[in-house]
Amino acid sequence: MHSKTFLLALAAAGVALAGPAEAQRKPKMKPGASATVYRDTTSPDGVKGVGTESQDIVSMSDTMVRDLLTTPQLMNATTPPRVIVDSKYFRNESSEIIDKSLITDRIRVGLNRAAAGKIMFIGREYAQMVELERELKDEGKVDVGTTGRTRAQAGADYRLVGRIGTRDAVDTRTGVTSRFSQYTFELVDLEYGAIVWSNLYEFKKENRDDVVYR
């Protein structure tokens, strides 16, 4: 009888000790917090500020893709032109922090899908990876694959470049912030340096209390 009572006491103590530990593992929600809600990426953000938001990125990327698809140098060429679209030469000279690759990746993917083979996209950011594979083939450590060998990696004909700029104004009496944002996109001929296509995307926003973008 005593042993049974002792075992029950041990079990109760274990539950009591596990309770606080289990509670500590559960994440605590901030006061007023709610469950995550999925929103359409083209709709205005629930948290609004004067910076570049998701709907701006989607809208400008789609606009640039549609316009680039009307560029004669790209779409009317007999041989598919080789193009680099990445963020290396897309400069952020604005007053906000923004992931430039979010924009250039959307443009490249959109163009690649819509061009349907009329444009060849060069992954220059992966050049080192390609070179290592070519060295393995040269050394005979792997076979040449199914597409055969080339004398060198593919050179590009054009590269998408650009610049992000902003102009901010703050009313010190009311705390209202106004920001004009301008995104410049240009397609540069990598042999002559000629700019064969250009476009702008711009917007202006005002807000009393700006938000933090990360």
Side-chain angles (χ1 to χ4, degrees):
M1 186 69 178
H2 290 293
S3 60
K4 183 176 181 181
T5 304
F6 178 70
L7 290 174
L8 289 173
L10 281 178
V15 171
L17 289 173
E22 186 68 25
Q24 289 178 1
R25 286 196 292 269
K26 292 181 179 179
K28 295 180 179 179
M29 295 185 71
K30 296 180 180 179
S34 59
T36 300
V37 177
Y38 280 92
R39 298 185 184 276
D40 184 352
T41 57
T42 60
S43 64
D45 287 344
V47 180
K48 297 179 176 64
V50 299
T52 303
E53 297 168 350
S54 62
Q55 73 272 16
D56 300 315
I57 293 174
V58 172
S59 179
M60 81 170 73
S61 301
D62 291 348
T63 299
M64 295 306 127
V65 168
R66 288 193 298 269
D67 199 30
L68 279 163
L69 289 172
T70 66
T71 306
Q73 288 87 340
L74 296 182
M75 304 309 296
N76 297 341
T78 304
T79 302
R82 301 172 182 178
V83 182
I84 300 174
V85 180
D86 58 26
S87 61
K88 184 171 183 179
Y89 292 97
F90 193 55
R91 304 195 302 273
N92 182 11
E93 299 176 357
S94 72
S95 57
E96 68 173 302
I97 299 173
I98 186 167
D99 186 348
K100 300 177 296 181
S101 294
L102 284 175
I103 301 168
T104 55
D105 285 354
R106 281 190 62 88
I107 293 174
R108 183 181 63 254
V109 172
L111 273 176
N112 202 351
R113 290 171 61 87
K118 291 185 177 181
I119 303 173
M120 179 186 292
F121 293 88
I122 306 300
R124 187 53 50 79
E125 60 182 309
Y126 307 117
Q128 185 176 7
M129 174 189 71
V130 175
E131 188 60 33
L132 288 174
E133 181 67 16
R134 290 174 61 85
E135 289 176 2
L136 289 174
K137 292 175 180 178
D138 289 340
E139 294 167 2
K141 295 181 179 179
V142 299
D143 65 22
V144 298
T146 61
T147 58
R149 295 306 311 274
T150 60
R151 185 174 58 84
Q153 293 189 46
D157 301 308
Y158 305 100
R159 187 165 199 156
L160 186 71
V161 301
R163 181 184 296 112
I164 308 169
T166 55
R167 183 182 183 277
D168 294 355
V170 180
D171 189 326
T172 57
R173 296 172 301 169
T174 63
V176 172
T177 299
S178 175
R179 176 174 297 166
F180 170 73
S181 299
Q182 178 176 286
Y183 286 73
T184 304
F185 298 88
E186 295 180 318
L187 193 66
V188 177
D189 185 312
L190 293 177
E191 188 67 30
Y192 301 101
I195 297 174
V196 300
W197 170 88
S198 295
N199 203 348
L200 290 173
Y201 189 91
E202 56 189 25
F203 53 86
K204 185 176 182 179
K205 298 181 181 181
E206 292 183 354
N207 198 327
R208 181 181 299 278
D209 298 312
D210 196 14
V211 301
V212 177
Y213 297 88
R214 296 177 180 175

